[in-house]
């Protein structure tokens, strides 16, 4: 008994020393990361006062990978400069003076080149999107590239799989990237069926304890499809049945862009960079960047596909949003399913509204996650008090991620207005510099606004009871993790 007690005490002492040592290491790691002082202090307090739980939280959610260079400069040169500049030529490319700084920002930050001569279809219904997608897949002759946060094993996922199988059997090269966490409910057998059909399929950052536990918080949230290098899709829809049938008795309202023209080259580049990231296969052949064959696309509909990631030097899409909001002259309209903005975006929205810009924000009346809905409310109230016109969509669950500004530019993609999208996820947005496209997106926003209720008309939201307001403030503390 005495021997056992000594062993137990020794073991507990060693574990205590190990936890203390790990805590000191984590604290040094936080300090050397040079984050904002508030964030640094918050993590230090969590690690000190919750030594075991705090350490686990830091390992899973706190490690900053923004400085990690996961793709070598040489590989990036081969994937982008060689393929994009050697194969793709553009004549008479004109960038309006008012857009030049934003375009240059994206080029300088992530080599997101602008491309002209595009035809852009805006799709707002899941059924229309998947019907068109299957038609485009059935016409593929060279390759199909799909990057999805969610590729579900349900009736819709099976329809897409059947279409991909048929094209793979016909000799078309099919590559699929799915996110390991986004698809955690999908059995591996579903993806094995893809592989057995000749489809190359890879999961993004699979979470295997303890190797990738620090990356569970960094997910590929992009939704990109490229077919034959001529047709591309980007937006907010994943491949899952709920994008057609809805969720919790609510219709699903989302936005996808179908792109034909040279802008598809930018989507291709984004996918191939991701493919190198997950498969370490360098694809930079000319056949993936075919010459345009539609003379009717000769226009100056200019677009950039901008990707952001926790491994890039700066949060590019967030920078773009801040730049657009602060440069707006007349209006900025934004749709987002989740509104938990980080400080730069929150400050930009409040500044623009205070300066007299017509800033409107459209969010769902009821979110698909209760905790997220509670956490969003304090932010919505804060921007409403600063002059932002907040409305809540009642026509279903609003999952669209879009921005339109001054009848001049619009953005649509996978990026939500929240911490996770701006700072943690791998995201992709199209930024389109074209009046016609902006006006179409503006009409869609105004149509959605007609099916919404103004925040100011909801007394319980404007002036909640003390207990409700306290709970909203508590859930707000968890915004970076939601």
């Amino acid at each position: 008994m005495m021997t056992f007690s000594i062993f137990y005490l020794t073991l507990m002492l060693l574990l205590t020393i190990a936890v203390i040592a790990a805590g000191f290491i984590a604290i040094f790691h936080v300090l050397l990361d040079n984050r904002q002082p508030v964030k640094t202090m918050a993590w230090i307090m969590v690690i000190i006062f919750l030594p075991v739980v705090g350490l686990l939280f830091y390992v899973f959610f706190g490690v900053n990978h923004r400085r990690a260079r996961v793709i070598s400069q040489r590989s990036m040169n081969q994937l982008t400069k060689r393929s994009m500049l050697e194969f793709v030529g553009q004549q008479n490319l004109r960038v309006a003076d008012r857009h030049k700084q934003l375009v240059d920002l994206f080029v300088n930050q992530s080599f997101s080149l602008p491309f002209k001569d595009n035809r852009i279809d805006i799709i707002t219904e899941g059924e229309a999107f998947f019907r068109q997608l299957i038609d485009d897949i059935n016409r593929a002759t060279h390759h199909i590239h799909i990057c999805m946060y969610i590729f579900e094993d349900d009736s819709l996922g099976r329809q897409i799989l059947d279409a991909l199988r048929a094209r793979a059997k016909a000799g078309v090269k099919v590559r699929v990237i799915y996110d390991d966490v986004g698809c955690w409910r999908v059995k591996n057998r579903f993806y094995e069926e893809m592989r057995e059909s000749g489809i190359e399929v890879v999961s993004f950052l699979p979470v295997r304890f303890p190797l990738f536990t620090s990356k569970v918080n960094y997910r590929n949230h992009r939704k990109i499809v490229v077919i034959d290098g001529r047709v591309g899709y980007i937006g907010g829809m994943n491949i899952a049945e709920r994008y057609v049938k809805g969720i919790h008795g609510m219709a699903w309202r989302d936005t996808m862009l179908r792109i034909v023209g040279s802008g598809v080259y930018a989507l291709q580049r984004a996918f191939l960079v991701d493919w190198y990231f997950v498969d370490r296969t360098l694809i930079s052949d000319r056949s993936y960047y075919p010459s345009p064959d539609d003379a009717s696309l000769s226009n100056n509909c200019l677009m950039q596909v901008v990707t952001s990631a926790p491994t890039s030097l700066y949060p590019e899409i967030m920078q773009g949003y801040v730049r657009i909001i602060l440069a707006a002259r007349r209006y900025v309209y934004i749709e987002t399913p989740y509104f938990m903005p980080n400080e730069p975006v929150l400050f930009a929205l409040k500044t623009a509204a205070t300066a007299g810009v017509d800033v409107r924000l459209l969010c769902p009346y009821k979110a698909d996650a209760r905790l997220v809905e509670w956490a969003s409310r304090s932010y919505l109230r804060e921007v409403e008090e600063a002059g932002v016109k907040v409305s809540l969509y009642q026509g279903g669950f609003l999952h669209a991620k879009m921005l339109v500004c001054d009848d001049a530019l619009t953005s649509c993609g996978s990026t939500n207005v929240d911490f996770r999208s701006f700072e943690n996820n791998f995201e992709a947005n199209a930024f389109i510099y074209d009046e016609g496209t902006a006006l179409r997106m503006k009409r869609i926003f105004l149509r959605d606004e007609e099916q919404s209720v103004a925040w100011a008309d909801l007394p319980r939201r404007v002036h909640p009871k003390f207990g409700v307001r306290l709970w909203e403030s508590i859930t707000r503390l968890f915004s970076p993790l939601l």
Side-chain angles (χ1 to χ4, degrees):
M1 181 67 72
M2 180 70 71
T3 303
F4 177 78
S5 298
I6 294 172
F7 173 77
Y8 179 76
L9 289 172
T10 304
L11 180 61
M12 291 302 295
L13 179 61
L14 290 174
L15 287 174
T16 302
I17 293 172
V19 170
I20 292 172
F24 274 112
I25 293 171
I27 289 171
F28 280 124
H29 193 276
V30 174
L31 288 170
L32 293 173
D33 204 32
N34 290 325
R35 309 184 192 202
Q36 294 177 6
V38 173
K39 287 187 178 180
T40 300
M41 286 301 299
W43 276 116
I44 290 175
M45 297 295 283
V46 168
I47 293 168
I48 290 175
F49 289 103
L50 298 170
V52 177
V53 177
L55 280 171
L56 289 174
F57 259 76
Y58 183 69
V59 169
F60 277 86
F61 303 110
V63 178
N64 186 1
H65 293 275
R66 187 159 297 284
R67 294 175 183 170
R69 310 312 295 168
V70 293
I71 299 180
S72 70
Q73 190 60 46
R74 181 175 178 272
S75 298
M76 284 295 290
N77 287 343
Q78 288 181 276
L79 283 165
T80 59
K81 293 180 181 178
R82 173 185 165 186
S83 54
M84 302 287 273
L85 297 182
E86 181 181 337
F87 302 158
V88 179
Q90 296 192 93
Q91 296 180 351
N92 303 319
L93 178 67
R94 301 186 304 277
V95 179
D97 289 340
R98 66 173 302 184
H99 299 315
K100 191 174 187 310
Q101 289 186 333
L102 182 61
V103 170
D104 289 345
L105 168 69
F106 293 140
V107 172
N108 294 335
Q109 293 287 56
S110 58
F111 202 67
S112 300
L113 297 177
F115 289 94
K116 66 185 185 72
D117 300 342
N118 297 289
R119 183 172 67 243
I120 297 171
D121 297 321
I122 305 172
I123 306 173
T124 59
E125 296 179 354
E127 185 176 353
F129 163 56
F130 290 110
R131 184 171 58 247
Q132 182 65 66
L133 176 62
I134 291 173
D135 285 345
D136 287 331
I137 288 173
N138 291 337
R139 295 191 188 98
T141 58
H142 184 265
H143 67 271
I144 300 168
H145 290 160
I146 297 176
C147 177
M148 284 284 160
Y149 178 62
I150 299 171
F151 199 135
E152 196 75 71
D153 181 8
D154 55 21
S155 61
L156 180 62
R158 288 281 168 179
Q159 287 184 51
I160 302 295
L161 175 56
D162 289 343
L164 295 176
R165 277 174 169 164
R167 299 323 298 151
K169 186 176 180 180
V172 175
K173 197 70 174 178
V174 182
R175 298 182 177 94
V176 174
I177 301 172
Y178 69 92
D179 187 80
D180 190 68
V181 173
C183 298
W184 68 276
R185 294 182 180 177
V186 183
K187 294 181 179 179
N188 288 332
R189 180 59 193 161
F190 180 65
Y191 303 110
E192 285 300 323
E193 288 183 42
M194 290 187 183
R195 296 183 182 97
E196 291 168 2
S197 303
I199 299 169
E200 294 184 45
V201 55
V202 185
S203 65
F204 185 89
L205 285 185
V207 178
R208 302 292 182 268
F209 188 85
L211 188 60
F212 283 125
T213 49
S214 65
K215 296 182 177 64
V216 69
N217 200 37
Y218 301 94
R219 309 316 312 166
N220 193 324
H221 194 240
R222 296 167 184 162
K223 292 91 171 160
I224 293 174
V225 180
V226 179
I227 298 172
D228 289 344
R230 299 184 184 279
V231 178
Y233 292 87
I234 187 171
M237 295 192 205
N238 293 289
I239 297 176
E241 198 173 60
R242 60 182 173 272
Y243 290 80
V244 176
K245 294 187 175 181
I247 186 173
H248 304 318
M250 298 184 292
W252 195 283
R253 164 69 185 88
D254 219 320
T255 303
M256 289 292 289
L257 304 181
R258 182 180 184 269
I259 300 162
V260 178
S262 59
V264 180
Y265 300 147
L267 290 172
Q268 186 77 285
R269 180 252 189 177
F271 177 88
L272 294 179
V273 169
D274 277 359
W275 188 256
Y276 179 78
F277 184 92
V278 297
D279 194 63
R280 289 306 184 210
T281 301
L282 198 64
I283 301 172
S284 57
D285 188 82
R286 176 186 289 272
S287 61
Y288 290 93
Y289 297 91
S291 300
D293 56 1
D294 190 346
S296 66
L297 292 176
S298 181
N299 59 39
N300 203 42
C301 178
L302 199 70
M303 68 171 288
Q304 289 173 287
V305 173
V306 182
T307 57
S308 64
T311 53
S312 58
L313 191 58
Y314 300 103
E316 295 93 336
I317 294 175
M318 186 205 77
Q319 286 182 309
Y321 269 49
V322 170
R323 173 73 191 173
I324 292 169
I325 294 166
L326 292 178
R329 299 173 183 174
R330 294 189 291 117
Y331 76 84
V332 178
Y333 299 161
I334 298 173
E335 290 187 355
T336 179
Y338 316 114
F339 186 70
M340 293 172 286
N342 56 8
E343 197 59 37
V345 175
L346 184 63
F347 181 79
L349 288 168
K350 292 162 68 175
T351 300
T354 305
V357 176
D358 180 12
V359 183
R360 301 187 193 182
L361 180 64
L362 194 54
C363 297
Y365 184 84
K366 186 176 180 180
D368 60 340
R370 192 64 172 162
L371 192 61
V372 171
E373 182 179 334
W374 282 105
S376 298
R377 288 184 181 180
S378 64
Y379 289 107
L380 291 171
R381 187 177 301 106
E382 184 175 347
V383 295
E384 170 77 19
E385 291 171 354
V388 175
K389 298 174 184 176
V390 177
S391 298
L392 302 180
Y393 183 74
Q394 295 181 307
F397 174 58
L398 180 70
H399 192 253
K401 307 107 171 15
M402 60 85 85
L403 175 153
V404 60
C405 177
D406 288 350
D407 296 348
L409 71 91
T410 187
S411 180
C412 178
S414 62
T415 307
N416 301 311
V417 181
D418 63 12
F419 283 87
R420 180 167 295 281
S421 278
F422 287 141
E423 299 183 7
N424 295 336
N425 283 343
F426 292 73
E427 303 280 5
N429 267 44
F431 288 79
I432 303 161
Y433 311 90
D434 176 66
E435 181 181 356
T437 306
L439 288 172
R440 281 187 288 149
M441 195 69 86
K442 179 183 179 181
R443 285 194 291 270
I444 291 170
F445 179 93
L446 295 175
R447 183 188 67 196
D448 290 339
E449 195 177 45
E450 291 175 357
Q451 301 183 62
S452 306
V453 58
W455 179 275
D457 295 334
L458 298 170
R460 291 185 180 180
R461 300 286 178 96
V462 178
H463 302 292
K465 294 179 180 179
F466 173 78
V468 173
R469 191 160 192 147
L470 177 61
W471 177 244
E472 291 174 357
S473 298
I474 291 172
T475 56
R476 177 171 173 150
L477 295 174
F478 296 93
S479 297
L481 304 179
L482 297 176

